[in-house]
Amino acid sequence: MTEDAGRDLFDGELLELAVPASLAGMRLDRALAMLTDRSRAETALAIVEGRVQINAAVIAKGSRMLVEGDVLRAQLRPPAGEFVEPDAQVIIEVVLDDEDFVVVNKLPRQVVHPGAGQRTGTLVAGLLARYPEIALLAREGRSEPARPGIVHRLDKGTSGLLVVAKTPLGLSALSAQMGARTAGRTYLSLVKGHVVEDRGIVDAPIGRSPRAPTLMAVRADGREARTHYDVRARLDEPYESSVLELRLDTGRTHQIRVHMASISHAVVNDLRYGHQRDLRLDEDRLFLHASRLTFQHPRSDATVSLEAPLPPDLRALLPADLDL
């Protein structure tokens, strides 16, 4: 999830962008694979099938070098994916184990499912070792092969609560709640600077960044995105910062990170979205934690509400007497 609720882009959709300087000089097939989280074989097939254009001309070779300003257009099939091998060595902190779902407290630096950056050692691999029935969701075509049971995600550098479906009923019910935005997701974060208003809403559409296509950005033509925040504390040392409680109305890729950066309050240690390195945290660790998760049980009207306290590495950055 990113703190995203589902698949925002490139799932059989049209990719169209002006080539930024960061991709200039890169092979077309390599750039497509990076942008779309596909294998080189999948992007090569799209090229062979005539589904890739540059400046309105069909490109027949993946070796074509990109030029800054080129208009790249590609229609890619949904990612084929591969079934994930179970891995019992993956550490999983189970918060609630139910017949239809499992809620885990995802560890920081743990990748939820295989992608271009990491294929093995993912949370999904660990879940499959512990709950082999989850694999049936993929083998029956109910979930993507690499993402069995996944209904929302958390970024690698984010910790906290994540629910994963175990049965078809669980998958259907939880996916519907995520899609209808009736599931509640609350985060705790430390952000740069003093946020002036005690509470507010960032209501700004999010789409792929035109300058760096692997990042997201606030864009007029993006998908709607809303983030509510409440200031829990303002700190002065070792630099001005604010402790926020954040609630998602939507679940776009990197939503909290993009929205906070857009109002000049980047998440602490988020180097990709504008915060300087905080040496008190590991380089790829964000001060962002999914602290509360609320949803309706798939088999009843009962509300499932769970909380996970800040982990020690984040709590250590805050005053000991701060009540969260």
Side-chain angles (χ1 to χ4, degrees), residues 146-162:
R147 307 173 185 180
I150 300 299
V151 296
H152 68 128
R153 291 173 283 180
L154 295 174
D155 293 335
K156 178 181 179 181
T158 304
S159 57
L161 296 172
L162 184 80

PDB file of all heavy atoms in Angstrom, residues 146-162:
ATOM      1  N   ALA A 146       1.519 -13.358  -7.941  1.00  0.00           N
ATOM      2  CA  ALA A 146       2.524 -12.857  -7.008  1.00  0.00           C
ATOM      3  C   ALA A 146       1.916 -12.170  -5.794  1.00  0.00           C
ATOM      4  O   ALA A 146       2.641 -11.793  -4.870  1.00  0.00           O
ATOM      5  CB  ALA A 146       3.462 -11.883  -7.722  1.00  0.00           C
ATOM      6  N   ARG A 147       0.563 -12.009  -5.782  1.00  0.00           N
ATOM      7  CA  ARG A 147      -0.063 -11.247  -4.707  1.00  0.00           C
ATOM      8  C   ARG A 147      -1.273 -11.972  -4.113  1.00  0.00           C
ATOM      9  O   ARG A 147      -2.340 -11.382  -3.934  1.00  0.00           O
ATOM     10  CB  ARG A 147      -0.501  -9.879  -5.227  1.00  0.00           C
ATOM     11  CG  ARG A 147       0.602  -9.098  -5.910  1.00  0.00           C
ATOM     12  CD  ARG A 147       0.062  -7.833  -6.536  1.00  0.00           C
ATOM     13  NE  ARG A 147       1.088  -7.142  -7.297  1.00  0.00           N
ATOM     14  CZ  ARG A 147       0.899  -6.006  -7.958  1.00  0.00           C
ATOM     15  NH1 ARG A 147      -0.295  -5.442  -7.943  1.00  0.00           N
ATOM     16  NH2 ARG A 147       1.880  -5.446  -8.628  1.00  0.00           N
ATOM     17  N   PRO A 148      -1.171 -13.236  -3.780  1.00  0.00           N
ATOM     18  CA  PRO A 148      -2.342 -13.953  -3.261  1.00  0.00           C
ATOM     19  C   PRO A 148      -2.842 -13.357  -1.951  1.00  0.00           C
ATOM     20  O   PRO A 148      -2.082 -13.197  -0.998  1.00  0.00           O
ATOM     21  CB  PRO A 148      -1.814 -15.380  -3.069  1.00  0.00           C
ATOM     22  CG  PRO A 148      -0.338 -15.224  -2.884  1.00  0.00           C
ATOM     23  CD  PRO A 148       0.042 -14.086  -3.780  1.00  0.00           C
ATOM     24  N   GLY A 149      -4.128 -13.011  -1.929  1.00  0.00           N
ATOM     25  CA  GLY A 149      -4.737 -12.502  -0.713  1.00  0.00           C
ATOM     26  C   GLY A 149      -4.483 -11.045  -0.391  1.00  0.00           C
ATOM     27  O   GLY A 149      -5.040 -10.514   0.573  1.00  0.00           O
ATOM     28  N   ILE A 150      -3.661 -10.386  -1.179  1.00  0.00           N
ATOM     29  CA  ILE A 150      -3.295  -8.994  -0.879  1.00  0.00           C
ATOM     30  C   ILE A 150      -4.419  -8.051  -1.302  1.00  0.00           C
ATOM     31  O   ILE A 150      -4.813  -8.024  -2.464  1.00  0.00           O
ATOM     32  CB  ILE A 150      -1.981  -8.606  -1.583  1.00  0.00           C
ATOM     33  CG1 ILE A 150      -0.840  -9.507  -1.110  1.00  0.00           C
ATOM     34  CG2 ILE A 150      -1.651  -7.140  -1.340  1.00  0.00           C
ATOM     35  CD1 ILE A 150      -0.550  -9.432   0.375  1.00  0.00           C
ATOM     36  N   VAL A 151      -4.941  -7.272  -0.353  1.00  0.00           N
ATOM     37  CA  VAL A 151      -6.008  -6.315  -0.656  1.00  0.00           C
ATOM     38  C   VAL A 151      -5.557  -4.869  -0.445  1.00  0.00           C
ATOM     39  O   VAL A 151      -6.230  -3.934  -0.879  1.00  0.00           O
ATOM     40  CB  VAL A 151      -7.271  -6.600   0.184  1.00  0.00           C
ATOM     41  CG1 VAL A 151      -7.856  -7.950  -0.179  1.00  0.00           C
ATOM     42  CG2 VAL A 151      -6.977  -6.529   1.683  1.00  0.00           C
ATOM     43  N   HIS A 152      -4.439  -4.667   0.235  1.00  0.00           N
ATOM     44  CA  HIS A 152      -3.817  -3.345   0.327  1.00  0.00           C
ATOM     45  C   HIS A 152      -2.358  -3.577   0.680  1.00  0.00           C
ATOM     46  O   HIS A 152      -1.954  -4.687   1.020  1.00  0.00           O
ATOM     47  CB  HIS A 152      -4.514  -2.446   1.364  1.00  0.00           C
ATOM     48  CG  HIS A 152      -4.348  -2.882   2.781  1.00  0.00           C
ATOM     49  ND1 HIS A 152      -3.899  -2.051   3.782  1.00  0.00           N
ATOM     50  CD2 HIS A 152      -4.588  -4.072   3.395  1.00  0.00           C
ATOM     51  CE1 HIS A 152      -3.882  -2.692   4.935  1.00  0.00           C
ATOM     52  NE2 HIS A 152      -4.293  -3.928   4.720  1.00  0.00           N
ATOM     53  N   ARG A 153      -1.558  -2.519   0.557  1.00  0.00           N
ATOM     54  CA  ARG A 153      -0.123  -2.705   0.727  1.00  0.00           C
ATOM     55  C   ARG A 153       0.479  -1.610   1.605  1.00  0.00           C
ATOM     56  O   ARG A 153      -0.144  -0.584   1.835  1.00  0.00           O
ATOM     57  CB  ARG A 153       0.572  -2.693  -0.644  1.00  0.00           C
ATOM     58  CG  ARG A 153       0.256  -3.912  -1.491  1.00  0.00           C
ATOM     59  CD  ARG A 153       0.822  -3.769  -2.891  1.00  0.00           C
ATOM     60  NE  ARG A 153       0.005  -2.884  -3.711  1.00  0.00           N
ATOM     61  CZ  ARG A 153       0.275  -2.580  -4.984  1.00  0.00           C
ATOM     62  NH1 ARG A 153       1.354  -3.067  -5.557  1.00  0.00           N
ATOM     63  NH2 ARG A 153      -0.520  -1.784  -5.671  1.00  0.00           N
ATOM     64  N   LEU A 154       1.692  -1.859   2.054  1.00  0.00           N
ATOM     65  CA  LEU A 154       2.489  -0.861   2.751  1.00  0.00           C
ATOM     66  C   LEU A 154       3.847  -0.793   2.076  1.00  0.00           C
ATOM     67  O   LEU A 154       4.381  -1.827   1.641  1.00  0.00           O
ATOM     68  CB  LEU A 154       2.674  -1.226   4.231  1.00  0.00           C
ATOM     69  CG  LEU A 154       1.415  -1.255   5.108  1.00  0.00           C
ATOM     70  CD1 LEU A 154       1.763  -1.769   6.505  1.00  0.00           C
ATOM     71  CD2 LEU A 154       0.775   0.117   5.196  1.00  0.00           C
ATOM     72  N   ASP A 155       4.413   0.404   2.000  1.00  0.00           N
ATOM     73  CA  ASP A 155       5.744   0.547   1.403  1.00  0.00           C
ATOM     74  C   ASP A 155       6.780  -0.224   2.211  1.00  0.00           C
ATOM     75  O   ASP A 155       6.599  -0.485   3.406  1.00  0.00           O
ATOM     76  CB  ASP A 155       6.147   2.018   1.355  1.00  0.00           C
ATOM     77  CG  ASP A 155       5.296   2.826   0.397  1.00  0.00           C
ATOM     78  OD1 ASP A 155       4.740   2.230  -0.543  1.00  0.00           O
ATOM     79  OD2 ASP A 155       5.184   4.054   0.594  1.00  0.00           O
ATOM     80  N   LYS A 156       7.888  -0.517   1.577  1.00  0.00           N
ATOM     81  CA  LYS A 156       8.968  -1.259   2.229  1.00  0.00           C
ATOM     82  C   LYS A 156       9.412  -0.578   3.520  1.00  0.00           C
ATOM     83  O   LYS A 156       9.617  -1.238   4.546  1.00  0.00           O
ATOM     84  CB  LYS A 156      10.154  -1.387   1.275  1.00  0.00           C
ATOM     85  CG  LYS A 156      11.359  -2.094   1.868  1.00  0.00           C
ATOM     86  CD  LYS A 156      12.503  -2.165   0.872  1.00  0.00           C
ATOM     87  CE  LYS A 156      13.724  -2.842   1.481  1.00  0.00           C
ATOM     88  NZ  LYS A 156      14.862  -2.897   0.529  1.00  0.00           N
ATOM     89  N   GLY A 157       9.544   0.731   3.505  1.00  0.00           N
ATOM     90  CA  GLY A 157      10.046   1.450   4.671  1.00  0.00           C
ATOM     91  C   GLY A 157       9.008   1.754   5.726  1.00  0.00           C
ATOM     92  O   GLY A 157       9.324   2.357   6.759  1.00  0.00           O
ATOM     93  N   THR A 158       7.749   1.353   5.487  1.00  0.00           N
ATOM     94  CA  THR A 158       6.651   1.589   6.419  1.00  0.00           C
ATOM     95  C   THR A 158       6.366   0.328   7.223  1.00  0.00           C
ATOM     96  O   THR A 158       6.401  -0.772   6.686  1.00  0.00           O
ATOM     97  CB  THR A 158       5.377   1.997   5.653  1.00  0.00           C
ATOM     98  OG1 THR A 158       5.661   3.145   4.855  1.00  0.00           O
ATOM     99  CG2 THR A 158       4.239   2.320   6.602  1.00  0.00           C
ATOM    100  N   SER A 159       6.081   0.486   8.492  1.00  0.00           N
ATOM    101  CA  SER A 159       5.718  -0.648   9.345  1.00  0.00           C
ATOM    102  C   SER A 159       4.236  -0.570   9.677  1.00  0.00           C
ATOM    103  O   SER A 159       3.570   0.425   9.405  1.00  0.00           O
ATOM    104  CB  SER A 159       6.545  -0.630  10.628  1.00  0.00           C
ATOM    105  OG  SER A 159       6.364   0.607  11.308  1.00  0.00           O
ATOM    106  N   GLY A 160       3.709  -1.643  10.268  1.00  0.00           N
ATOM    107  CA  GLY A 160       2.362  -1.573  10.803  1.00  0.00           C
ATOM    108  C   GLY A 160       1.379  -2.594  10.286  1.00  0.00           C
ATOM    109  O   GLY A 160       1.752  -3.602   9.670  1.00  0.00           O
ATOM    110  N   LEU A 161       0.112  -2.326  10.550  1.00  0.00           N
ATOM    111  CA  LEU A 161      -0.949  -3.305  10.354  1.00  0.00           C
ATOM    112  C   LEU A 161      -1.342  -3.488   8.894  1.00  0.00           C
ATOM    113  O   LEU A 161      -1.558  -2.525   8.157  1.00  0.00           O
ATOM    114  CB  LEU A 161      -2.181  -2.886  11.157  1.00  0.00           C
ATOM    115  CG  LEU A 161      -1.989  -2.865  12.675  1.00  0.00           C
ATOM    116  CD1 LEU A 161      -3.210  -2.260  13.351  1.00  0.00           C
ATOM    117  CD2 LEU A 161      -1.729  -4.279  13.215  1.00  0.00           C
ATOM    118  N   LEU A 162      -1.471  -4.758   8.514  1.00  0.00           N
ATOM    119  CA  LEU A 162      -1.839  -5.137   7.156  1.00  0.00           C
ATOM    120  C   LEU A 162      -2.731  -6.367   7.243  1.00  0.00           C
ATOM    121  O   LEU A 162      -2.396  -7.331   7.940  1.00  0.00           O
ATOM    122  CB  LEU A 162      -0.579  -5.464   6.348  1.00  0.00           C
ATOM    123  CG  LEU A 162      -0.749  -5.794   4.877  1.00  0.00           C
ATOM    124  CD1 LEU A 162      -0.906  -4.514   4.068  1.00  0.00           C
ATOM    125  CD2 LEU A 162       0.458  -6.572   4.365  1.00  0.00           C
TER     126      LEU A 162
END
